[in-house]
Amino acid sequence: MRWRIDLRYDGAGFHGWARQESLRTVQGELEEAIRVVLRLPQPLTVTCAGRTDTGVHARGQVAHVDVDGAVDPLRLLRGLNGVLPDDVAVTAVSAAPEGFDARFSALARRYVYRLCDDPAGWDPLTRGHVLRMGRPMDVERMNSAAAALLGEHDFAAFCKKREGASTVRALLEFSWRRTGVGQLEGTVIADAFCHSMVRALVGSMIPVGDGRRDVEWPAAVLAGKVRDSAVSVLPAHGLTLEEVRYPADDELAARALQARQIRGEVHHRG
């Protein structure tokens, strides 16, 4: 039986999602918690929708796990939250629809990067989730620059390329808004992301927002299809995976097959 697990976590204390020997990871903690709650001799493999990098947070992460035998979803949810550390929380456990794959069935991932560009709006209580800026940002300029990147492109200029992996992605939304005094949110939605892509995209907006670069510069970087040292990969702590979007239940299997054929074993990371 395949089970869908919805969870959130503070990424500050983790070396990303993916299990790594001798390092604390979200996958490692969740797999061990499932083993303990279900009293299994060995951990089961958990697959997630977006393998977040070291320090990146998640409010809307989705995962799945295949379990032999009967499982009470409410008991599993309560048990996991009783075993997991305080920086991880399971918000739902449900029987996965036929054809569901947390990773390959996903249509899109929505990330939000949070900035503060005004000392009057700086909140020390949120410092672990917001990047503090030294200059004021022009949101209108940033939105103009971001709009030019929308659509399906080769985002090699904004990715850490992996041998044999495609860097073609469909950027569905990239927009900025102010949410309060000095508070900015950058929303980035795509069908998938390659390694460090979100933080590089956001990083390309900073010199545009503070006037050091022209509005057209990020699009020129994209067209170059090679990494530009002038594009900063912003710190991980400002980034949160907010949502993973899936098609209707009867389209899950087809979407998973399509994604496997197009992406292969690509990483969906911020």
Side-chain angles (χ1 to χ4, degrees), residues 60-231:
Q61 180 69 278
V62 179
H64 77 247
V65 63
D66 296 330
V67 181
D68 291 331
V71 172
D72 180 336
L74 182 57
R75 174 181 171 271
L76 180 57
L77 184 149
R78 289 175 174 172
L80 290 176
N81 284 326
V83 171
L84 286 166
D86 289 344
D87 49 0
V88 188
V90 172
T91 59
V93 174
S94 57
E98 184 177 353
F100 176 80
D101 184 295
R103 180 182 179 189
F104 288 111
S105 293
L107 288 174
R109 288 94 174 154
R110 177 170 64 91
Y111 282 86
V112 172
Y113 201 98
R114 294 176 171 86
L115 305 171
C116 179
D117 67 346
D118 186 338
W122 178 247
D123 182 356
L125 299 181
T126 64
R127 66 188 183 278
H129 301 265
V130 181
L131 179 65
R132 192 174 191 175
M133 305 300 299
R135 308 180 187 90
M137 299 287 113
D138 186 323
V139 173
E140 185 175 342
R141 285 172 55 85
M142 295 166 76
N143 274 324
S144 295
L149 305 181
L150 296 178
E152 185 172 87
H153 306 285
D154 184 345
F155 283 92
F158 298 96
C159 297
K160 291 183 179 179
K161 189 168 177 59
R162 292 174 56 248
E163 190 66 31
S166 171
T167 49
V168 174
R169 300 289 186 272
L171 186 60
L172 307 175
E173 179 180 336
F174 191 10
S175 61
W176 292 87
R177 69 187 183 107
R178 288 199 176 273
T179 59
V181 176
Q183 305 295 319
L184 289 82
E185 287 187 357
T187 297
V188 190
I189 304 175
D191 59 342
F193 294 95
C194 43
H195 192 192
S196 80
M197 178 177 164
V198 182
R199 289 184 287 137
L201 285 171
V202 175
S204 73
M205 297 293 109
I206 302 305
V208 173
D210 65 18
R212 288 177 292 148
R213 293 278 186 172
D214 294 335
V215 169
E216 296 79 16
W217 178 67
V221 172
L222 174 68
K225 299 182 182 179
V226 294
R227 289 300 294 266
D228 190 321
S229 60
V231 175

Side-chain angles (χ1 to χ4, degrees), residues 228-265:
D228 190 321
S229 60
V231 175
S232 298
V233 177
L234 292 191
H237 73 273
L239 185 61
T240 301
L241 172 59
E242 296 284 352
E243 178 191 14
V244 181
R245 298 176 180 176
Y246 294 95
D249 288 357
D250 61 354
E251 300 173 4
L252 289 167
R255 170 59 186 172
L257 178 61
Q258 178 191 43
R260 285 191 178 93
Q261 291 172 339
I262 295 175
R263 305 295 180 197
E265 288 301 311

